[in-house]
């Protein structure tokens, strides 16, 4: 058994932030499914939204967030996070994050603008902000004597008082599979944090890395946490369309710096859909692209920034330029073929402003959580900000909590299961689930499509749970079990919303209701 004061599940910006704020006085364990830097935070291109310029204001950032969130943002959470934005950026700068400089600007940094923002307020490191931030913080984490990083570990289930036959509703750690040794390890902790990211891999096409399988959401739900607003799945409007590359994101900042969306014949179409054109929020742009593709029978549309000077493009988007060039697309000379793809899970485990869930000593921070900041549609570049601010708030809450003694925790019992000889079941069910979600729970929804998805998900769930009960756990089985659970939560939430709002667009309910309501699901088994 491994024991820690605080166990963090996930190594993105939320988990790293918590670890570094705690490590001076606490023994911290951080488990990650692959290596330390493999996760959605690392792939974030655009940057971090923060009020840094005197011409900008907290009130305007809050207003932009509330507008994008289509009436569903929690105003208290939004204010708390935005008010702490400068402090969060100052912390990153002090740690040595190499944000792009601009000595002509009074802040000393280049600030870009993205869809839905009324000001240039996105601080960034060229077009690879996530990589710059996580690599800087990762070096600090690896060097810290109080932080133990366990790579190639995947959490299976949380250890709760209910599982141990104890009173109350508390978390005491996790059972995790050490993939290197193919062995289940018991990891006990006085406080546990889910920072495992979103659930993009529940869909066929996503900008997310392979690790985004809804693990934390599913584990938290099974442990007795409520989930909120799971119907709001953000489709990034501009994912590179090319047969020889995995989903590669074309940053929002390309449109922010003047990129124009066009049909194959060169016709611009966004002004027909929204007066903000290419700078409309993501849900508007994604629906417009989806509409044009279906109307004209297209495989993709085109994003054109080639009219800008070549040096400007190479300086602002060096990684996008290089990646496209490898595929034979010179973005200084020609437009980029793009399609919408699943990008962000706006809902998640319901938490307060310290990241605390419904289970004592269990926290959720980042994309796995639902603080209410993102409402019905996340404003671009608010996600990394949320990781930083709530990560620090969670650390302060943990540091102020009274110490507890850990109860005896039994080892994982797999004496009743055998090795499987039918791996094909997992790969088939994985593919069927992701295809059903893409076809029936996409950008435009109907009740009929959602009911079809739910019936298929429930059949898959029965198969997978039976399989889980009879065979040794593997990485793919753990992920598939979590994916099917998360998919069910998304569809159940979508069926409850009898309107179109933000990222949830229903042909059966095309209008937005005058009153706003959260979609909160309560586990019945607890």
């Amino acid at each position: 058994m491994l024991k820690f004061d605080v166990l963090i599940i996930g190594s993105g910006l939320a988990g790293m932030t918590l670890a570094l704020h705690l490590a001076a006085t606490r023994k911290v364990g951080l488990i990650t499914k692959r290596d330390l830097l493999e996760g959605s935070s690392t792939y974030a291109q655009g940057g971090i939204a923060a009020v840094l310029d005197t011409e900008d204001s907290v009130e305007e950032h809050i207003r932009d967030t509330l507008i994008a969130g289509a009436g569903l943002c929690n105003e208290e959470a939004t204010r708390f996070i935005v008010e702490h934005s400068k402090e969060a950026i100052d912390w990153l700068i002090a740690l040595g994050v190499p944000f792009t400089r601009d000595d002509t600007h009074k802040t000393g940094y280049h600030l870009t603008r993205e869809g839905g923002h009324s000001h240039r307020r996105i601080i960034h490191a060229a077009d690879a902000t996530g990589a710059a931030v996580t690599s800087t913080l990762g070096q600090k984490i690896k060097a810290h004597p109080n932080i133990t990083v366990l790579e190639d570990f995947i959490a299976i289930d949380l250890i709760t008082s209910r599982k141990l036959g104890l009173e109350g509703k508390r978390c005491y750690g996790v059972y995790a599979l050490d993939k290197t040794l193919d062995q289940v390890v018991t990891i006990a902790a006085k406080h546990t944090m889910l920072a495992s990211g979103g659930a993009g891999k529940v869909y066929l096409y996503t900008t997310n890395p392979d690790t985004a399988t809804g693990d934390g959401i599913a584990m938290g739900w099974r442990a007795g946490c409520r989930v909120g607003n799971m119907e709001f799945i953000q489709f990034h409007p501009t994912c590179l369309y090319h047969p020889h590359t995995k989903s590669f994101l074309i940053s929002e900042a390309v449109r922010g710096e003047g990129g124009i969306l066009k049909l194959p014949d060169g016709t611009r179409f966004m002004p027909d859909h929204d007066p903000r054109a290419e700078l409309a929020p993501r849900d508007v742009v994604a629906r417009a692209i989806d509409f044009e593709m279906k109307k004209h029978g297209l495989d993709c549309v085109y994003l054109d920034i080639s009219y800008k000077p070549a040096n400007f493009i190479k300086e602002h988007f060096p990684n996008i330029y290089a990646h496209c060039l490898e595929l034979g697309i010179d973005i200084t000379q020609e437009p980029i073929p793009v399609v919408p793809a699943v990008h962000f899970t706006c809902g998640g485990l319901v938490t307060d402003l310290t990241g605390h869930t419904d289970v004592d000593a269990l926290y959720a921070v980042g994309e796995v959580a639902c603080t209410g900041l993102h409402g019905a549609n996340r404003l671009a570049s608010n996600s990394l900000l949320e990781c930083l601010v709530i990560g620090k708030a969670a650390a302060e809450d943990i540091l102020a909590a009274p110490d507890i003694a850990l109860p005896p925790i039994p080892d994982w019992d797999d004496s009743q299961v055998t090795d499987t000889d039918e791996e094909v079941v997992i790969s088939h069910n994985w593919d069927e689930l992701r295809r059903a979600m893409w076809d029936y729970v996409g950008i435009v929804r109907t009740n009929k499509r959602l009911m079809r998805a739910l019936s298929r998900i429930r059949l898959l769930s029965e198969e997978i749970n039976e399989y889980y009960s009879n065979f040794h756990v593997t990485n793919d089985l753990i992920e598939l079990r979590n994916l099917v659970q998360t998919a069910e939560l998304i569809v159940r939430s979508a069926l409850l919303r009898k309107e179109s709002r933000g990222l949830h667009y229903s042909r059966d309910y095309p209008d937005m209701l005058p009153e706003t309501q959260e979609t909160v699901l309560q586990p019945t088994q607890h």
Side-chain angles (χ1 to χ4, degrees):
M1 182 190 292
L2 298 169
K3 287 186 181 178
F4 298 101
D5 293 321
V6 183
L7 174 66
I8 300 168
I9 300 167
S11 64
L13 184 55
M16 287 183 169
T17 299
L18 185 79
L20 289 171
H21 281 301
L22 288 172
T25 59
R26 298 291 188 273
K27 188 181 174 193
V28 178
L30 190 153
I31 73 172
T32 181
K33 292 205 297 194
R34 294 193 180 171
D35 63 50
L36 181 64
L37 299 183
E38 176 65 25
S40 292
S41 295
T42 295
Y43 293 95
Q45 292 177 349
I48 306 171
V51 180
L52 305 172
D53 190 343
T54 51
E55 292 177 14
D56 194 5
S57 72
V58 165
E59 296 306 323
E60 286 173 286
H61 188 171
I62 290 170
R63 189 188 68 222
D64 292 345
T65 302
L66 299 181
I67 290 168
L72 261 194
C73 297
N74 178 303
E75 290 199 34
E76 183 192 1
T78 304
R79 178 167 294 280
F80 177 78
I81 291 164
V82 172
E83 283 180 344
H84 288 84
S85 62
K86 184 177 186 305
E87 175 193 315
I89 299 302
D90 288 344
W91 180 69
L92 291 180
I93 291 170
L95 289 175
V97 174
F99 290 115
T100 297
R101 306 282 311 189
D102 180 357
D103 294 331
T104 66
H105 196 276
K106 52 183 172 290
T107 63
Y109 293 94
H110 183 268
L111 303 178
T112 192
R113 185 179 170 193
E114 295 180 343
H117 289 275
S118 57
H119 285 272
R120 286 183 170 266
R121 66 166 69 98
I122 316 301
I123 190 167
H124 61 100
D127 60 349
T129 306
V133 172
T134 56
S135 62
T136 304
L137 271 56
Q139 288 168 11
K140 308 277 186 197
I141 282 169
K142 284 181 175 176
H144 205 294
N146 276 356
I147 303 174
T148 303
V149 178
L150 301 169
E151 295 182 321
D152 292 311
F153 273 64
I154 180 170
I156 304 169
D157 257 330
L158 296 165
I159 300 166
T160 58
S161 44
R162 183 178 60 86
K163 276 194 177 154
L164 300 177
L166 301 174
E167 291 295 313
K169 193 174 176 182
R170 190 179 182 97
C171 182
Y172 294 103
V174 73
Y175 291 115
L177 176 66
D178 178 341
K179 295 193 276 184
T180 307
L181 299 177
D182 192 27
Q183 181 180 325
V184 177
V185 178
T186 306
I187 308 177
K190 296 173 183 178
H191 300 273
T192 303
M193 176 184 179
L194 294 166
S196 50
K201 294 299 283 188
V202 80
Y203 284 88
L204 195 57
Y205 301 110
T206 177
T207 63
N208 292 178
D210 290 343
T211 50
T213 51
D215 303 327
I217 295 167
M219 283 191 292
W221 172 258
R222 291 194 293 265
C225 299
R226 289 169 299 151
V227 298
N229 294 346
M230 285 297 293
E231 69 271 36
F232 299 115
I233 301 294
Q234 188 174 76
F235 287 73
H236 197 289
T238 56
C239 178
L240 179 63
Y241 178 75
H242 195 280
H244 299 136
T245 190
K246 260 192 139 175
S247 296
F248 180 78
L249 183 65
I250 304 299
S251 170
E252 187 101 3
V254 174
R255 295 197 322 285
E257 293 294 342
I260 293 168
L261 284 161
K262 297 178 176 179
L263 298 175
D265 65 2
T267 305
R268 187 181 184 191
F269 59 84
M270 274 311 302
D272 296 337
H273 293 269
D274 192 282
R276 293 164 291 186
E278 281 79 8
L279 288 176
R282 288 175 179 176
D283 60 323
V284 176
V285 181
R287 267 200 305 279
I289 294 172
D290 184 66
F291 174 87
E292 296 292 344
M293 285 171 60
K294 286 184 170 125
K295 178 181 172 185
H296 298 287
L298 305 173
D299 291 326
C300 65
V301 296
Y302 293 87
L303 180 60
D304 192 4
I305 198 166
S306 64
Y307 69 93
K308 291 270 189 179
N311 285 342
F312 174 90
I313 294 168
K314 291 174 189 176
E315 182 187 333
H316 281 80
F317 308 111
N319 294 286
I320 294 171
Y321 171 75
H323 187 78
C324 289
L325 202 59
E326 283 174 16
L327 299 167
I329 304 164
D330 183 348
I331 69 171
T332 67
Q333 302 292 322
E334 60 191 310
I336 309 164
V338 293
V339 289
V342 169
H343 185 56
F344 193 84
T345 311
C346 285
L349 302 173
V350 175
T351 73
D352 63 16
L353 294 185
T354 65
H356 215 287
T357 68
D358 296 326
V359 176
D360 288 342
L362 179 65
Y363 296 77
V365 183
E367 197 172 346
V368 70
C370 181
T371 61
L373 171 68
H374 305 308
N377 179 26
R378 174 175 72 91
L379 182 64
S381 291
N382 267 352
S383 51
L384 294 181
L385 176 63
E386 182 184 42
C387 293
L388 291 162
V389 174
I390 304 296
K392 185 187 180 200
E396 290 170 351
D397 195 66
I398 289 168
L399 291 170
D403 196 22
I404 62 148
L406 288 167
I409 298 173
D411 285 336
W412 180 260
D413 180 11
D414 60 1
S415 58
Q416 305 300 309
V417 297
T418 60
D419 287 326
T420 178
D421 56 359
E422 291 186 314
E423 287 287 335
V424 68
V425 173
I426 293 178
S427 59
H428 176 83
N429 285 359
W430 182 292
D431 187 60
E432 188 178 336
L433 174 69
R434 296 178 69 206
R435 201 166 286 281
M437 288 296 287
W438 185 261
D439 290 342
Y440 300 136
V441 199
I443 294 172
V444 176
R445 300 165 179 176
T446 66
N447 277 356
K448 198 170 182 180
R449 288 178 192 173
L450 292 172
M451 290 306 297
R452 278 181 183 152
L454 190 61
S455 65
R456 281 162 173 75
I457 287 165
R458 288 190 164 152
L459 286 171
L460 287 171
S461 186
E462 284 175 24
E463 272 185 37
I464 292 158
N465 287 330
E466 183 194 6
Y467 195 96
Y468 178 81
S469 302
N470 290 305
F471 298 112
H472 286 294
V473 292
T474 63
N475 181 84
D476 288 352
L477 175 56
I478 294 163
E479 289 186 331
L480 181 58
R481 179 179 179 235
N482 292 331
L483 279 172
V484 78
Q485 177 62 79
T486 307
E488 185 187 344
L489 295 171
I490 292 168
V491 177
R492 282 176 57 192
S493 299
L495 282 164
L496 286 172
R497 188 162 291 280
K498 311 294 188 192
E499 63 168 348
S500 290
R501 183 184 295 273
L503 300 166
H504 174 77
Y505 184 81
S506 169
R507 279 196 185 149
D508 296 311
Y509 308 102
D511 298 322
M512 189 159 68
L513 293 174
E515 70 278 3
T516 60
Q517 197 168 350
E518 304 278 323
T519 306
V520 178
L521 301 180
Q522 177 85 44
T524 53
Q525 67 269 42
H526 302 279

